[in-house]
Amino acid sequence: MKISVLYLGRLECKKYHLVECDDHNEMIKSPILSILIEHPVLGNILYDTGNSPYYTTEYPSSTLETYPIAEFISVEEALKEKGLTTADIDMIIMSHLHFDHAGGLKYFAGTKAIKNVFVSEAELKNAFCQVMTGQPGAYVKSLFDLKDIQFKTINEETELAEDIRLFIQNSHTPGVVGMALETKSRGNIIVTSDTIYTKESYLAELPPGGPINKTRKEFYDNLNRVKAMEKEYSAALLFGHDYEQVLEWNKIGFIE
Ligand SMILES: [Zn+2]
């Protein structure tokens, strides 16, 4: 198995939206990432797809005001750098369906991957319920309600292969799919996605300050679960939107 962290640009927003802090004017760079897994049995897997190329018109203006997109790199471009096209991807795993994760799904129209999109059932229900009832939030219907898309839902911990396990986190949204990977060169890696945005949030145990999490309890319950997993598997953690970490992992090239 070969894992590459793809850097898909960044948002620049008020830091307190990601990590609680006193200064509500402090800014933070929030990277957009996707993970490419070239797997000997399952083929090419992509975890998350980044922003939509049409974000200026497709996203609500309130979203762009709160989370301005400072740099956009398409998942198509990032795959090209790895010598791949969207047609080479066999499976997509969606951590969740917020705009900065689901925006690149449209690049997979007409490919085999669009028929093989893994998501948690709780997340899919939550996303459709929010957009169909007009509730404000980070879901944009046109990003994931695509012609020909076929979701495969999971409800519990799911072993895709011996070295790839998906687990469901009830924090940030009701069903964020986290991923545990077993690598030869770097041991176990746990991908949290947006349940924990940054290393600082994790180490200082600081939840996001904005309204994105429904309760602080969900953040702490999940944080404790991830801490226990980190210990049990002696794992390295990859967070949802940690700028320095994404650049560092992206620079490595690939992990085997
Ligand atoms: Zn996100």
Side-chain angles (χ1 to χ4, degrees):
M1 168 163 77
K2 209 165 117 181
I3 299 159
S4 309
V5 173
L6 310 179
Y7 172 70
L8 305 181
R10 68 186 197 279
L11 314 175
E12 281 186 16
C13 64
K14 299 273 168 66
K15 181 180 170 180
Y16 78 92
H17 289 300
L18 303 195
V19 187
E20 210 171 60
C21 58
D22 292 334
D23 180 1
H24 280 200
N25 287 317
E26 191 179 344
M27 300 296 285
I28 194 168
K29 288 178 181 159
S30 175
I32 308 299
L33 74 114
S34 170
I35 301 169
L36 169 68
I37 304 169
E38 295 166 87
H39 195 272
V41 178
L42 298 172
N44 294 325
I45 304 168
L46 197 68
Y47 177 88
D48 284 347
T49 65
N51 274 308
S52 163
Y54 311 115
Y55 63 88
T56 51
T57 50
E58 206 172 12
Y59 294 4
S61 51
S62 55
T63 298
L64 292 169
E65 273 160 33
T66 309
Y67 301 105
I69 295 175
E71 183 185 13
F72 169 77
I73 297 170
S74 74
V75 70
E76 197 176 43
E77 254 176 280
L79 285 173
K80 202 173 159 192
E81 272 204 16
K82 298 285 173 188
L84 297 172
T85 70
T86 52
D88 295 317
I89 302 300
D90 297 287
M91 176 193 292
I92 296 171
I93 300 165
M94 294 304 304
S95 66
H96 60 304
L97 295 170
H98 283 166
F99 64 90
D100 53 323
H101 300 259
L105 278 170
K106 53 179 87 271
Y107 287 105
F108 296 87
T111 70
K112 58 192 170 206
I114 208 71
K115 301 276 186 201
N116 206 16
V117 181
F118 281 70
V119 68
S120 81
E121 187 173 328
E123 174 64 14
L124 191 63
K125 284 179 175 168
N126 188 57
F128 270 97
C129 184
Q130 275 207 19
V131 297
M132 297 309 281
T133 56
Q135 293 171 57
Y139 296 113
V140 178
K141 183 170 177 275
S142 59
L143 302 181
F144 55 83
D145 187 11
L146 298 169
K147 190 175 163 270
D148 296 336
I149 195 164
Q150 196 74 70
F151 288 106
K152 296 202 170 150
T153 55
I154 58 167
N155 287 300
E156 55 192 22
E157 197 163 306
T158 301
E159 190 177 290
L160 290 181
E162 257 182 10
D163 45 7
I164 307 178
R165 272 186 312 115
L166 305 180
F167 58 97
I168 301 170
Q169 305 168 94
N170 181 12
S171 176
H172 186 67
T173 80
V176 174
V177 175
M179 184 164 66
L181 303 165
E182 207 182 295
T183 73
K184 285 198 187 94
S185 65
R186 297 221 166 198
N188 295 318
I189 297 169
I190 291 172
V191 180
T192 68
S193 187
D194 290 7
T195 58
I196 304 162
Y197 282 129
T198 69
K199 193 174 175 178
E200 183 193 4
S201 166
Y202 186 69
L203 295 178
E205 306 195 350
L206 291 168
I212 195 90
N213 281 43
K214 281 202 177 72
T215 63
R216 291 168 65 90
K217 187 181 181 301
E218 66 176 40
F219 173 82
Y220 286 112
D221 285 351
N222 191 68
L223 185 89
N224 290 333
R225 179 185 172 204
V226 171
K227 289 208 169 190
M229 286 172 75
E230 178 191 27
K231 210 170 156 191
E232 187 181 347
Y233 301 110
S234 316
L237 299 180
L238 179 60
F239 303 106
H241 290 282
D242 189 303
Y243 188 66
E244 276 75 36
Q245 188 182 43
V246 170
L247 290 191
E248 192 189 314
W249 285 51
N250 174 259
K251 226 187 274 167
I252 296 170
F254 60 83
I255 297 164
E256 270 180 302

